[in-house]
Amino acid sequence: MRLLVLLLALLAFTGEASAHQTSLSYVSVEDKDGALAASVKMSFLDLEVSAGVDQDFDGRITWGEAKGAVSRVAAYVQSHMAMSAGGPCVLRQTSAAPEMLNGEGYLDLGFDVSCPGKAAAVAVASTIFLEIDPTSRVLVSSRTGRQAQSYVLGIDQQRAAEAALGAQAAASQPAGKPPASLLSYFWEGVSHLFGGPDHMLFLLVLVIPAIYAGNGIRSVAIAVLLPVTGFTLGHALTLTSAASGLIRPPAQIVEVLIAVTILLTAIDNIRTFIPGPRSVVAFAFGLIHGFGFASALGALEVSGWQMAVALLGFNLGIEAGQAVLALAVAPALFLVRKPARRLHVLPTGVSVLAGLMAVWWIIERTGLV
């Protein structure tokens, strides 16, 4: 019981309600008629913290303010990012434009890229926004000649890049070898699940009724695995659709609906009102959470086998994280089942607290406070 209460408390204290939870930037490199061009997309919210774009300090960033800060932002990128292909590349900023991604404003900077090895694959190293957010991510994709690759630069790769870059200009340093695509997306899936307190809280309220299942740990395990499997199938379907660009609802609506799924599940734990098996309910709610998971991939500019690798690795990472949670929760539920049967306090208490937390998230994410 203490372990489960501790988990709930940790979720409460780490539960950032904003849809913008992690700095997410995008770098794409493409061979255009024999010349390399790069696009670097960065959130206006992150740029305000790192480069001071909001010049009138009114809490809103206009395109006029962003245009006035383009040279400063370009210098920031050139000092926090390195590319190499057969040796260090030189970046020259050529364009700037605003863009909306997942309901959030981004600045898209274009660069001409000159590299010694024009036919070689381009490797990217980045410390962009690492100084303001240690969990920041950079999603990289490149298509040069016959070489195509996509990978995620997480904290480990960015810290390695930070050591390599130091205070020198990005053009003077090679970028190093990129991480393996599948593995980088796998760890991105794991970190996204454990970094999303709302997803973890939903899984907790989803499986806690398993405490009353059957007479042995096998019954409890089945009662845990069935809804988790339904949830997996649901979010895998919509995650793939959203990341592929087929269906991409507004991020703010998805964030609110995720909190609603927690509230409804918590209420159903206290007083059953949702018809059908819990695995079916989990599948339906998993469809909503899948759109939330897809926000971690955002506007990833890849297709074909690169998209397949990204989706496979990301999904496997999420499933691995869920498996760890299920393996940890099932024995804990079994151990506390006898006192919980007498008092009925654990599932009800956890569900009440989870419901209250979900109500707060709904209020905050709808902008009522």
Side-chain angles (χ1 to χ4, degrees):
M1 183 181 295
R2 290 177 180 174
L3 287 173
L4 290 173
V5 172
L6 176 61
L7 174 59
L8 192 65
L10 288 173
L11 289 172
F13 283 108
T14 58
E16 172 63 46
S18 170
H20 184 80
Q21 295 182 4
T22 299
S23 300
L24 186 61
S25 307
Y26 306 89
V27 175
S28 60
V29 185
E30 192 172 2
D31 187 344
K32 295 182 177 180
D33 301 324
L36 292 180
S39 168
V40 181
K41 299 178 182 178
M42 298 161 291
S43 164
F44 282 137
L45 294 177
D46 296 322
L47 286 173
E48 167 54 23
V49 178
S50 62
V53 179
D54 185 11
Q55 297 180 13
D56 58 9
F57 304 103
D58 64 351
R60 297 183 301 108
I61 300 174
T62 65
W63 175 228
E65 289 173 326
K67 283 195 295 185
V70 163
S71 59
R72 189 163 67 253
V73 174
Y76 174 83
V77 172
Q78 290 168 329
S79 65
H80 287 74
M81 187 177 72
M83 296 185 183
S84 67
C89 302
V90 177
L91 280 70
R92 183 176 65 86
Q93 191 259 322
T94 57
S95 64
E99 188 170 345
M100 290 296 294
L101 300 175
N102 296 316
E104 189 173 335
Y106 275 71
L107 177 63
D108 183 0
L109 287 183
F111 293 86
D112 282 340
V113 182
S114 301
C115 303
K118 294 184 177 180
V122 176
V124 177
S126 169
T127 61
I128 289 176
F129 301 139
L130 196 61
E131 74 278 9
I132 64 172
D133 183 2
T135 66
S136 63
R137 301 284 192 274
V138 179
L139 273 61
V140 179
S141 61
S142 68
R143 294 183 293 274
T144 56
R146 296 183 179 180
Q147 302 284 344
Q149 56 186 346
S150 173
Y151 50 91
V152 181
L153 289 176
I155 183 65
D156 293 336
Q157 293 84 12
Q158 293 198 68
R159 280 181 174 162
E162 189 174 44
L165 287 169
Q168 301 181 35
S172 67
Q173 293 289 337
K177 185 179 180 180
S181 296
L182 183 65
L183 187 60
S184 69
Y185 282 108
F186 173 85
W187 288 115
E188 179 67 9
V190 173
S191 64
H192 187 70
L193 177 69
F194 286 105
D198 46 5
H199 299 302
M200 294 177 65
L201 185 58
F202 174 76
L203 284 169
L204 179 59
V205 295
L206 180 69
V207 303
I208 201 167
I211 197 171
Y212 298 123
N215 298 314
I217 192 169
R218 181 174 180 273
S219 300
V220 173
I222 292 174
V224 169
L225 291 175
L226 283 179
V228 169
T229 301
F231 180 66
T232 296
L233 294 175
H235 72 63
L237 180 62
T238 48
L239 190 161
T240 302
S241 299
S244 303
L246 298 177
I247 307 173
R248 189 169 288 168
Q252 184 178 7
I253 294 177
V254 172
E255 294 290 323
V256 172
L257 290 177
I258 287 173
V260 170
T261 66
I262 298 170
L263 177 60
L264 294 178
T265 307
I267 295 173
D268 190 63
N269 288 349
I270 300 169
R271 186 178 182 85
T272 303
F273 74 99
I274 302 177
R278 178 138 291 209
S279 57
V280 176
V281 175
F283 173 81
F285 287 167
L287 295 173
I288 297 172
H289 284 252
F291 290 120
F293 287 135
S295 66
L297 297 179
L300 184 61
E301 297 182 355
V302 296
S303 59
W305 69 268
Q306 290 184 74
M307 176 61 76
V309 168
L311 289 174
L312 177 62
F314 192 72
N315 269 304
L316 288 176
I318 292 175
E319 307 327 322
Q322 289 180 176
V324 170
L325 286 175
L327 290 173
V329 168
L333 293 178
F334 180 74
L335 290 175
V336 301
R337 58 193 280 117
K338 289 185 178 179
R341 280 183 183 277
R342 289 198 306 267
L343 301 176
H344 282 253
V345 67
L346 180 59
T348 301
V350 169
S351 298
V352 168
L353 291 175
L356 291 174
M357 199 179 305
V359 169
W360 170 249
W361 279 335
I362 292 170
I363 293 172
E364 192 170 11
R365 292 174 182 184
T366 52
L368 297 179
V369 293

